Amino acid sequence: MLSMTSHNLDFARAGFDFVACGCSSNASYLVRNSSKGVLRRVKYEFGARKWLCFRRDFGSCRVVSTKTPEAFVNVPGVIELKTESRKLNSVSVKNLFEIVADDLLVLNNNLQSIVGAENPVLMSAAEQIFSAGGKRMRPALVFLVSRATAEFVGLKELTKEHRRLAEIIEMIHTASLIHDDVLDESDMRRGKETVHQLYGTRVAVLAGDFMFAQSSWYLANLENLEVIKLISQVIKDFASGEIKQASSLFDCDVELDEYLIKSYYKTASLIAASSKGAAIFSGVDSDVSEHMYQYGKNLGLSFQVVDDILDFTQSAEQLGKPAGSDLSKGNLTAPVIFALEKVPRLRDIIESEFCETGSLDEAIELVKSCGGIERAQDLAKEKADLAIKSLQCLPQSAYRLALEGMVKYNLERID
């Protein structure tokens, strides 16, 4: 396989650095030297998909899609080619979201004013989450789906509804994190102290409530009944997910379907609804908006399964919280559910609620050693495949590439 690596490449708004980091497309792309012309042609393959690359070693380059020749972008830097049979460079979130970087910048500037400057304590609590190193994945997905579907119907720019939806989604997500940390009694979030740890449980609960209420107010002002119903259901799903989780702690009879339903409520529902909402505001057919819903749903489920795997495979420093924290609290996730089918001893340890010294560490090792991690990886890949399939209704574009890249990025976290 022909792989490509890059030095100091910034493909700015077009997202063409996906060539360098390993994403692919059915489209072909040309890399031209703007001052000296085409130097040579290189065929790039990823799976069954191909790229055409023309390069020169020095000077300012231009990237042109052979399917959309109007898309030109200045590209500084040099591309090196290596013909090795090895995995392509990892996808980075920064590169994936570069194509909507301006949209995210506007969102970041608006978030604080949306929360409400008249509530300094709540503003401070929200800022603790907003500044805690989050990737803004959910609003970025809103922008990517918005732009991918807008292109589909010939819409040149995003509407104010698209932008407001992204802001609402980030507020709802932030509110859910504040409440989750209270319920889970988590002291750390992304390596920083949680809101309730800094300000107390009372302020944290009120801050979360306020952000849910504020997001609902902005949602109502969108004046689109379909989207209002869609996103309102998400807030209900959050509560349903927490109740399901709380009622099944240390329950070794929990089944995979129950785990997936809970994961949908707690994680995938928001991503699915926001993806569909973005498509609705673009004015696409209901069939396309439903495909976007399925994309978000399966991406969200895949993300949750990967997060649950990482709870066993990463260190506390990498996670920003203690490793195995879900298991220690009795929250049985996909790796544990699969492991329970193989190791009777694991059931005894869990049902004892880790009362013996060292029993949690033993349980973690059992999950790792009996194939629970590997089967969970297969589940994450299954959901990822479904997400990719849902994007086939969209025409090829840099935005669709980024949406595909998000699925790939998620799976690379467990490679």
Side-chain angles (χ1 to χ4, degrees), residues 77-119:
V78 179
I79 297 179
E80 293 180 358
L81 303 175
K82 298 180 181 178
T83 52
E84 300 175 3
S85 294
R86 64 176 180 82
K87 184 181 277 189
L88 293 167
N89 285 351
S90 296
V91 179
S92 79
V93 172
K94 182 180 179 181
N95 286 339
L96 288 171
F97 292 169
E98 187 66 33
I99 196 171
V100 289
D102 290 349
D103 296 323
L104 288 171
L105 185 61
V106 172
L107 175 132
N108 286 337
N109 291 336
N110 286 345
L111 278 176
Q112 286 190 356
S113 61
I114 288 174
V115 170
E118 73 276 10
N119 296 280

Side-chain angles (χ1 to χ4, degrees), residues 41-61:
R41 178 174 183 267
V42 178
K43 186 178 183 179
Y44 165 73
E45 296 191 10
F46 183 75
R49 301 178 178 184
K50 299 178 181 179
W51 297 77
L52 298 177
C53 173
F54 292 75
R55 74 175 285 273
R56 174 168 289 276
D57 289 332
F58 303 99
S60 174
C61 298

Side-chain angles (χ1 to χ4, degrees), residues 375-395:
R375 289 185 64 188
Q377 288 173 331
D378 290 340
L379 177 61
K381 289 170 184 174
E382 175 190 322
K383 298 303 178 184
D385 288 343
L386 292 172
I388 290 289
K389 189 177 294 186
S390 296
L391 294 173
Q392 291 176 0
C393 66
L394 296 177

